[in-house]
Amino acid sequence: MIGPETTREKISGVRIFFLILIPLGLFLISLFIGRYPLSPGDIMKALGEVLLFRGFNVPKTVYTILFKIRFPRTMTAMLIGAALSVSGASFQGMFRNPLVSPDVLGVSSAAGFGAALAILASGNAAVIQIAAFAFGITGVILTYGISRIYKSTPVLMLVLSGVVVSAFFSALISATKFMADPYEKLPAITFWLMGSLSGTTMEDMLAVLPAIATGLTGLMLVRWRLNVLVMGDEEARSLGIRTEILKGIIIFCATIVTAASVCVSGMVGWVGLVIPHVGRMLVGPDHKVLLPSSAVLGASYLLIIDTVARTAISSEIPLGILTAVIGAPFFAYLIRKTKGGWR
């Protein structure tokens, strides 16, 4: 006989199967869509030429659009969406708070100031990415250092310290914009802060891939301990979990993941806040399943957003605008539907 547990496991397995298929389908569809539409035949020939090392007489224009523009941008969008979603789900579990997002510890504001400073100083893309990543890490180090009380790190102090650091670097961003040239530097800073994957290259994706892969791997390895940490520090310690070390691992991994994402895409909000809630609605609160599901959902979501951003109108729409316009009402709907619950 098939019991209710077996039925639930089958339903969960079907959901996970479709969650895996969705980003693959969206990835292929996004390669066709753009200002210069490509046919399935063009895509298959180009892929065959690269993967099978055969000459299919692919036009140079098709090859350039596919592998120099769309492929790296699509892969980067999926990578950043997965990174922000897993980071948000991990922080929500660690802080036991459904309103926590990846930038709760000040990483986005600090990275934004680093990028604004680099744009003001040089404007070189590599310098901007390095400065954003370095300042993002620095911001979280400041937050963690401020929150340390009596050799412990209370959750409330982490949140309050993050608010302080975020406000401080937000003020520095405003000061940088105030000093910037209003005709060249200020528009560049403003556009970067709104978030965009315009001009993303394969080199950009490969540059952040090691950091994101390392952070995601670390979070995936400790995801079962998050289930224990959600019950509270005292309960976790009674079960043999060294909570301070675990929090440090989660903060470190989520920080490098978020900082690496921000240094390429700019400040893209709402992804790490909303997507984990969608994951809980689909697969439940178990972080062993929730984190991989959040990665898949986040990759699919940001890929859709980026595809709309580059094709909806003649000019590029900043990602931050679309994620806020879509994410805020949807989050309000989730609050109404779940009645404030999140498990």
Side-chain angles (χ1 to χ4, degrees), residues 301-335:
Y301 174 69
L302 196 58
L303 179 56
I304 293 173
I305 293 294
D306 184 60
T307 303
V308 173
R310 64 184 174 84
T311 59
I313 59 176
S314 58
S315 59
E316 181 113 357
I317 303 175
L319 293 178
I321 294 176
L322 288 178
T323 54
V325 168
I326 296 173
F330 187 69
F331 190 64
Y333 162 76
L334 289 178
I335 293 175

Side-chain angles (χ1 to χ4, degrees), residues 11-55:
I11 294 174
S12 179
V14 171
R15 287 177 177 176
I16 293 172
F17 176 73
F18 279 106
L19 285 177
I20 294 173
L21 287 182
I22 288 173
L24 293 177
L26 291 173
F27 171 74
L28 293 175
I29 292 172
S30 67
L31 296 179
F32 302 138
I33 301 174
R35 307 286 168 79
Y36 187 97
L38 300 178
S39 67
D42 293 333
I43 299 291
M44 296 305 296
K45 287 180 181 179
L47 292 176
E49 185 171 308
V50 172
L51 299 177
L52 302 178
F53 302 102
R54 294 184 179 181

